[in-house]
Amino acid sequence: MNHSPDLTSPAPADAYAGDVPRPAEPPQIGPNSQAAADSQAATAPRSWWARVWHNLGRDAGLVAPSLLISLIAFPVLVALFSVSIATVIVWVGVLLLPLTLTVARAFGNLSRARARAWGAPIAEAAPRPRGRGLRWWLAPLSDARAWLDLLFEAVFALPIRLFTFSISLAWFAGGLGGITFFVWGRFLPEDEGDTVDWVVAWVTNSPVTDLGFSAEATFQFVTGIVLLLTFPFILHAMALLEIVSIRAAGSTDGAAVSAQATRSERSAHPAQSSALSAIAGSQGWFWLIAAFVGVVLVAVAWPVTTVLYGVPTVFAMVLAFSLSAALLLAVRWPIPAIGLGLVAQLAGILLTADVSGAVRPFTVTSLLALVFLHLIIGLRHRWIHLVALWSGSALIGVLALVLPHAGELPGALSNVITTAAVAAGAGVIGVIGNLLIKGRRQLESERELSAAELAKRQELEERNRIAQELHDVVAHSMSVISVQATTAKYRLPGLDERSLGEFDSMAGSARQALTEMRGLLAILRGGRDADLAPQPTVDDIPALVDVTRGSGAVVDLDFPTDPMSLPPTTSLTAFRVVQESLSNALRHAAGAPVAVTVTAIGSRLEISVLNGEPDGGADAGGHSHLGGGFGIKGMRERVEALGGSLQVGPTQHRGFEVRASLPME
């Protein structure tokens, strides 16, 4: 039997998307059985090696072409942007810059499409209305997504993809070269020792001894095997790094707010987010910028601190990494970032305090790190954190004046004042940007609320229209049936008692349907004056079976004689399951006997509705034009919401059975 929805019970909005096959159900009979089998086979768990092999191909498809794409995107975007900026004074760049942004967005869309093909949940960037004529050409200038794509593809993408591609290629080439070393290793020129010789000498702390080609080939073969076995995991890590960077760059879209609005709302109020607001509103972009600045800072501060200020290499390395780590921590954890940044500044002053040369206390690299730290703290966190950072750095600078320094006191004092002023300026810029961003977010939030209210109003209008249609069509027809059945004994004299009973039963069913229809209409109209009539319970199942028998169906009922104590929701669900099953048995298996069994077993209520083969030998589970085919889904949602289970399907004797198990507590 094919089940149709119960019009007297509310259903979720997605209850009409079609029944989804579940493994617990009996096998499906019909044209969809092969599709269901294929779907179950596709979702079946695969072995560990199968997953590794699948990930290997997927990760290689992502990492391998990435560097080539960036090698094309980087020179194209840099050249276009440079020419645009250089010629903006003669207005040529104003016309060329939209083309640059359009190309950047195309490369960004390509990166997001490749990430989605890999399996990352990245939504497509919503298109923006562009107008006509000159406004159409200049529209990319106000598109925050295009500016972010330009920043990512021209600055961040190439270093990240160069790193992932180089690591992946070197790892695979090392493994392949290791296992084939015995073939090509003989042609290498002799030197002072092979790799295995140096490793053994280092482990045993002994002089380098030539162990021969066999030892070197064995060592290279084992190393190659290890590299190849670990290559899928390294490649997967590199793919994840690319996905993280793409998601970070694509996590904020200037049109994301208006994407939830209606089509008319999007046309009337396109998103106005600026690139700065989009960057500052996304933590992913802060991670990218902080990591980029940190890497550049390490590359500059380490050699500069070592060569220019005479700091030992190890100490300079630790200092550079500490300054960069503070920038990364500042994205999310302000207090540890402030502590680490101040400790690194103090260590830098102590390490360079008595070295002749440049003006102290703050070095150039320390000043740059401090400025970026103030900027990130100001943009990302509360003003009290910024005040604490500036006060701590200023206090360190003042205390540093009593230490030995390279220049005279006026020079050191000027250094401290300059550092404090520049850091304060960066902090003020961060605070102002933070306030602007919060204002923008509040405006966007108000637009979201307005769009939601508009959508809600339109939904209510649609529901009222549906309610009016139901009232005009269904309720009117049911009223006519009720009136005709009630007045039949007056209009048609001479009817026997059996016929009068049939008309009375029809009139009662019509009145009950009208009562429930009025409640449904009140719900659709969103009114609060809906009838508060009691809902049917499991004790009403015998009466339901009697009404069904009145239609001429043969229905057997096995119902407990002792009263059952059930929660109201369980009792209502049991009644609806039986009601839906009987309704569809009459619709799809006309003339077939039906057996209804309600049994309390332990702490569960077991319900079974079984119909035999219908008259004419038709399929008991066949479809009918009278039903929508969504009854099974509705029953399943009711049952599973209570923690029960539902099984439906054809029987061996061309019948159909519905079995439900509900908790009684």
Side-chain angles (χ1 to χ4, degrees), residues 18 53 127 133 202 272 288 396 399 436 447 477 493 582 590 620 642 644:
W53 185 257
W202 176 74
Q272 301 295 328
L288 285 177
I396 290 175
L399 294 177
L436 292 176
R447 287 178 177 174
S477 300
L582 289 176
L642 300 178

Side-chain angles (χ1 to χ4, degrees), residues 301-551:
W302 188 354
V304 168
T305 307
T306 301
V307 176
L308 185 59
Y309 298 101
V311 178
T313 303
V314 176
F315 293 157
M317 179 192 68
V318 174
L319 180 62
F321 275 100
S322 299
L323 294 174
S324 301
L327 297 179
L328 290 174
L329 291 175
V331 176
R332 190 168 183 180
W333 301 282
I335 296 178
I338 293 173
L340 180 60
L342 294 179
V343 169
Q345 294 292 335
L346 181 59
I349 292 175
L350 293 176
L351 290 173
T352 60
D354 57 349
V355 179
S356 61
V359 178
R360 305 303 177 269
F362 293 99
T363 64
V364 176
T365 53
S366 298
L367 174 60
L368 293 176
L370 198 60
V371 168
F372 278 105
L373 187 59
H374 277 77
L375 183 61
I376 295 177
I377 292 293
L379 282 171
R380 288 288 297 172
H381 304 290
R382 299 170 55 193
W383 63 269
I384 190 65
H385 295 112
L386 182 63
V387 171
L389 174 62
W390 185 86
S391 301
S393 60
L395 179 60
I396 290 175
V398 172
L399 294 177
L401 295 177
V402 302
L403 297 175
H405 46 79
E408 298 295 334
L409 181 60
L413 182 61
S414 299
N415 177 270
V416 172
I417 293 175
T418 302
T419 301
V422 174
V428 170
I429 293 175
V431 171
I432 294 176
N434 197 357
L435 293 176
L436 292 176
I437 293 164
K438 287 183 178 179
R440 177 72 65 179
R441 288 176 179 173
Q442 185 176 4
L443 178 60
E444 292 174 350
S445 177
E446 293 296 332
R447 287 178 177 174
E448 278 191 21
L449 292 177
S450 300
E453 290 297 329
L454 178 61
K456 184 177 180 180
R457 183 166 63 251
Q458 291 177 344
E459 179 185 357
L460 290 176
E461 293 175 355
E462 183 67 15
R463 291 171 64 177
N464 287 334
R465 188 188 66 80
I466 296 174
Q468 187 64 40
E469 293 293 332
L470 286 174
H471 178 270
D472 294 342
V473 179
V474 181
H476 174 73
S477 300
M478 295 300 298
S479 299
V480 172
I481 294 174
S482 176
V483 171
Q484 289 180 344
T486 304
T487 61
K489 58 183 176 181
Y490 304 108
R491 295 182 293 101
L492 303 174
L495 294 176
D496 55 14
E497 292 297 329
R498 181 177 179 181
S499 299
L500 292 176
E502 290 288 341
F503 279 114
D504 290 339
S505 177
M506 292 172 58
S509 299
R511 286 192 295 270
Q512 181 181 0
L514 283 173
T515 301
E516 295 183 347
M517 179 66 71
R518 282 194 295 270
L520 177 61
L521 293 177
I523 293 175
L524 284 175
R525 291 189 175 115
R528 299 184 179 181
D529 55 350
D531 295 336
L532 300 179
Q535 295 282 359
T537 65
V538 69
D539 295 329
D540 296 321
I541 291 180
L544 175 65
V545 171
D546 290 339
V547 172
T548 306
R549 288 169 178 164
S551 64

